[in-house]
Amino acid sequence: MSEKALSIENLTVTYGGITAVKNISLHIMPGEIVTLIGANGAGKSSTLKAIMRLAKSTGEIQALGQSVIGKETHEIARMGVALVPEGRAIFGNLSVRENLELGAYVKREAEGMKKRFGEVVELFPRLGERMSQNAGTLSGGEQQMLAIGRAMMAEPRILLLDEPSLGLAPKLVMEIFAAVRAIAKKGLTILLVEQNTRLALETAQRAYVLVSGEIALSGNAAELRHDPRVKDAYLGDSAHA
Ligand SMILES: Nc1ncnc2c1ncn2[C@@H]1O[C@H](COP(=O)(O)OP(=O)(O)OP(=O)(O)O)[C@@H](O)[C@H]1O
Ligand SMILES: [Mg+2]
């Protein structure tokens, strides 16, 4: 059995005739933050969807030493994997509290629920002040907090984050990323998909760069931050711009 928290081997994701991800392999060690970066359409979300069996794929994916192939999404959630999807997908007509309760659907015992509510509020005090508010009336940043908080209610061991900074003001982005670091400190394993390459490389220990569905580069995040190929293409401080 592998000691890796998450391992992907020869993953290919296709939509009809379109190949979105081509034969990629990657892994994450327990407690690591690993980022998957790349331009629009590179295949980042498709990779996360394949892990949750929300996209058709071939190849092997193991989470916590167990294959997810042939499993249903809710079974994978029960194994301890949670996805915070791009665009957040919270229930706007339900309150903050109700959204959080829904996140706990795989872990419902009253005792644990109370503890996890406490942990989410500790992570995002703003949510604590807004438990009865309709989620649809939250600001964009608060909705992102709620989406992450909802995922945490299932007490996952692996958290898949799809573009948590999307559309947020810099101050909120910093708050969200502080929470991501705090979550990693609790011992969770995090796969972070981001278009904010600079911030992603500052937050993660390792990174994979996806280009047109293939891994073009990978390695230590701090080293990739200084790699001219990354700087030119993703950090916007190219010497020959
Ligand atoms: N349901 C679908 N049907 C057909 N093609 C799809 C579908 N979902 C994604 N694709 C295509 O697969 C490719 C990869 O998309 P994906 O959403 O994985 O990219 P991404 O890296 O997450 O991009 P972004 O940064 O814009 O979110 C794109 O060309 C996209 O158009
Ligand atoms: Mg995407």
Side-chain angles (χ1 to χ4, degrees), residues 16-29:
I18 300 163
T19 302
V21 174
K22 293 172 202 153
N23 206 36
I24 69 166
S25 296
L26 62 86
H27 71 272
I28 313 184
M29 301 308 284

Side-chain angles (χ1 to χ4, degrees), residues 77-100:
R78 208 160 269 130
M79 280 167 60
V81 189
L83 169 66
V84 180
E86 199 175 353
R88 292 142 206 171
I90 55 159
F91 298 97
N93 293 326
L94 300 183
S95 70
V96 167
R97 182 185 310 281
E98 288 163 335
N99 269 276
L100 291 174

Side-chain angles (χ1 to χ4, degrees), residues 39-46 48-49 86 162-163 193 195:
N40 285 121
K44 306 181 298 293
S45 298
S46 298
L48 297 189
K49 285 178 189 158
E86 199 175 353
D162 200 349
E163 306 219 24
V193 160
Q195 281 211 39

Side-chain angles (χ1 to χ4, degrees), residues 146-237:
L146 178 56
I148 297 172
R150 188 180 57 184
M152 292 299 288
M153 288 298 289
E155 218 165 35
R157 290 172 61 195
I158 301 175
L159 191 61
L160 311 174
L161 293 169
D162 200 349
E163 306 219 24
S165 78
L166 196 68
L168 303 186
K171 186 173 170 291
L172 278 165
V173 172
M174 295 330 279
E175 274 187 49
I176 297 285
F177 271 71
V180 170
R181 292 188 187 97
I183 290 168
K185 277 224 176 90
K186 291 175 191 278
L188 270 81
T189 301
I190 298 178
L191 179 52
L192 170 68
V193 160
E194 256 300 332
Q195 281 211 39
N196 187 333
T197 307
R198 188 181 306 276
L199 192 53
L201 291 176
E202 281 168 10
T203 306
Q205 283 99 54
R206 287 190 304 113
Y208 293 88
V209 183
L210 263 188
V211 177
S212 305
E214 297 181 84
I215 291 173
L217 277 172
S218 67
N220 178 287
E223 282 167 22
L224 283 176
R225 227 153 72 206
H226 302 289
D227 188 304
R229 292 165 295 181
V230 173
K231 285 171 99 169
D232 287 358
Y234 303 102
L235 294 178
D237 47 12

Side-chain angles (χ1 to χ4, degrees), residues 81-127:
V81 189
L83 169 66
V84 180
E86 199 175 353
R88 292 142 206 171
I90 55 159
F91 298 97
N93 293 326
L94 300 183
S95 70
V96 167
R97 182 185 310 281
E98 288 163 335
N99 269 276
L100 291 174
E101 282 168 358
L102 281 172
Y105 72 100
V106 298
K107 293 225 167 190
R108 280 212 158 276
E109 355 69 75
E111 189 70 4
M113 281 275 269
K114 204 173 159 201
K115 176 170 153 269
R116 293 199 298 280
F117 261 109
E119 286 171 358
V120 168
V121 169
E122 196 181 323
L123 217 44
F124 301 115
R126 280 166 185 248
L127 293 183

